[in-house]
Every structure is written in C-alpha cells, then in structure tokens.
Amino acid sequence: MDFLSAGASCGSAPAGACSVQDVLDRIGNKWSVSILVAAAPGPIRFSALERAIPGISRRMLTLTLRNLERDGLLLRTSYPTVPPRVEYSITPMAVELQSALLTLTTWAERHQADIAAARARYDER
Amino acid sequence: MDFLSAGASCGSAPAGACSVQDVLDRIGNKWSVSILVAAAPGPIRFSALERAIPGISRRMLTLTLRNLERDGLLLRTSYPTVPPRVEYSITPMAVELQSALLTLTTWAERHQADIAAARARYDER
DNA sequence: CGGGATCCCTTGCGATACTG
DNA sequence: CAGTATCGCAAGGGATCCCG
C-alpha cells in the first residue's frame, strides 16, 4: 500500500519514500532541527543562536543557517551597522514544518520505552 | 554509530528538538525510510527487498535491516531451510511511524515548489 | 559581531570478493 | 539465498585562525 505516495520524481527511491526522503535530506543532519527550534519564532541574532544551541560550532551554525535560508526555511536580515547585526526568523513554511515534526515527536515519546526495550533485547544476544 | 541507551538524555539539543532528533538519528540515514516503505506490510524476503529498492548495496541493506530490527521497527524471521529463507515484517510501532511520516510527506509535497523557488532565488546571487 | 578559509579526523556508504 | 569481510573514497563535521 502506498499511502506514502509521492508526487515528483526522486531518483531511485521506491514509490512512496520519495517525498519523505526529500525532507530528511534537508533536516536529517545534525543541527537543522535544533536551529529551527531555537530560531522560532524569531527574530534572533547569530550569537543568541550560538548560545541557545550548546555544542554547535561556529562553522556548522553558519553552514546550516545558509542551507536553511537557501531552502526558504529561514529569513536572514542583516543590518549594516558597526558592529554588524544579523537576525534570523523562521518562515511560515518552517512553522508548518514544525507542526509536522510534532507528529514525529509524539511518536517518539510514545514509543521511546519500547525502543529501549527492543534494543536491550537485541543487544543481549 | 550511537551506542548510548535509548533512554538517555538528548544531550545538547534545545528543549523540544530532543525527541525529534532522536527519531531523525534512527531514520535520517540514506536507506531506512526506503526499507520501511518497501517492507510494509510484509512479510518480504531479503532478495525481494533488494530488488524493490533500486541502488541499494547488499551491505547497506543488511546493515540498515539490522539497525531497524534492533530498534524494534522490523521483525526478522529466518527459516532454517536449504537454501535459507529470511522474511522481514514491519512491526505495529513502525506502522505508526509511517503514519507520522505521512505528515511530513504532505508538507513536502505542498511546499516542494516553494522550496525549489527559494533555492533558485538563492543560487541566482 | 558575524562570519569565511583552512586543516584534519571521523563516519557513511559503495564496490568487490568470499561463505554456510 | 542471505548474508560477512575488507577496502577505499567522499561527505560530514569539529578546531583553529583570520577578517571586514
């Protein structure tokens, strides 16, 4: 059954996995979700993001911000002052994405114990 | 790979990103979703999976199957015949996960044009 | 302050060959 | 048929330094 039916062509994924894979390729990396969460609802400054996301490097913050901006999930606004000031806000599209991710969060929390149990059982052998 | 127990805290993620990150760490790789989709509702044999997922290598199919089985998302049943026969089925928990992913699919399809446009705009400069 | 450039290590993944 | 073992490349990501 393909209730995960896809619209566009998406390389070599089986029918149904395509669109999901597309999203995952964008936000399935180490920092995207953390940034999206931390940047909501915005605006928030670069240094504030850095402080809000423990463990992220300056490099990865910049890179991930660029990718999110490129996909239209973040809006970057720079003010040509001295010292410079840059603010990021999430777009309406990203807000909708967060709602979608909420479904995943619910699933994760509901089955977190089952997963732990399954792992324990598996690792025991 | 992550050998921490599933019950552990999500470490450095901001509040709210934790559970989602947890799911993404499991299925955010290259083949997990494709396999879950192809294996539904099951049972399906190893070679059938291999044929159903174009481009996957034997190695990655095996590895990803193991991880999914470990997390309790797939059930592996081997029949000690000659030649051997192994069947995989997705678990009820994985079925629920697919429903959750449907939300993401919907989002992806609805905004796929907007994303493409945002990218084009960004790349143009 | 908000990055870019460079270096380097680690991880993911593909290709290929072998096996019960 | 359903794997395992080994190799090697390339992407991901951290640390550090520099710069307008």
Side-chain angles (χ1 to χ4, degrees):
Chain A
M1 127 180 327
D2 63 327
F3 61 64
L4 293 175
S5 77
S9 72
C10 194
S12 58
C18 169
S19 304
V20 188
Q21 203 64 55
D22 223 43
V23 186
L24 260 38
D25 288 347
R26 292 198 175 79
I27 62 164
N29 55 57
K30 190 168 183 180
W31 298 110
S32 284
V33 172
S34 297
I35 290 181
L36 281 179
V37 170
I44 185 174
R45 302 187 58 168
F46 184 90
S47 47
L49 276 173
E50 198 173 9
R51 266 176 277 113
I53 307 174
I56 196 171
S57 67
R58 233 188 190 71
R59 175 183 135 88
M60 287 317 294
L61 179 54
T62 304
L63 281 182
T64 311
L65 283 172
R66 289 292 167 276
N67 285 329
L68 294 174
E69 184 197 357
R70 187 169 108 100
D71 287 343
L73 294 171
L74 279 187
L75 182 67
R76 191 188 106 115
T77 315
S78 75
Y79 302 92
T81 61
V82 176
R85 178 170 137 235
V86 179
E87 288 182 346
Y88 293 88
S89 316
I90 71 173
T91 63
M93 185 165 71
V95 174
E96 286 186 43
L97 175 59
Q98 292 198 343
S99 306
L101 288 176
L102 229 184
T103 315
L104 271 194
T105 308
T106 305
W107 180 91
E109 283 169 356
R110 171 161 24 182
H111 294 290
Q112 161 174 341
D114 308 74
I115 294 178
R119 287 199 164 187
R121 238 179 294 119
Y122 184 94
D123 292 343
E124 192 176 329
R125 305 166 322 172
Chain B
M1 229 161 310
D2 163 51
F3 294 105
L4 293 173
S5 68
S9 73
C10 274
S12 60
C18 171
S19 306
V20 188
Q21 204 63 56
D22 223 43
V23 187
L24 260 38
D25 288 346
R26 291 198 176 81
I27 62 163
N29 54 58
K30 190 169 183 180
W31 298 109
S32 285
V33 172
S34 297
I35 290 181
L36 281 179
V37 170
I44 184 173
R45 301 185 59 166
F46 184 90
S47 47
L49 276 173
E50 198 174 10
R51 268 176 275 112
I53 307 174
I56 196 171
S57 66
R58 232 189 192 75
R59 174 182 136 87
M60 287 317 295
L61 179 55
T62 303
L63 282 181
T64 311
L65 283 172
R66 291 291 169 274
N67 285 329
L68 294 174
E69 184 197 357
R70 187 168 107 100
D71 287 343
L73 294 171
L74 278 187
L75 182 68
R76 192 190 106 114
T77 315
S78 76
Y79 303 91
T81 60
V82 175
R85 178 171 137 236
V86 179
E87 289 181 346
Y88 294 88
S89 315
I90 70 173
T91 63
M93 185 165 70
V95 174
E96 286 186 44
L97 176 58
Q98 292 199 343
S99 305
L101 288 176
L102 227 188
T103 316
L104 272 194
T105 308
T106 305
W107 181 89
E109 284 171 354
R110 171 160 26 182
H111 294 290
Q112 148 179 348
D114 309 74
I115 294 178
R119 288 200 164 186
R121 238 179 295 118
Y122 185 94
D123 292 343
E124 192 176 331
R125 305 167 322 176

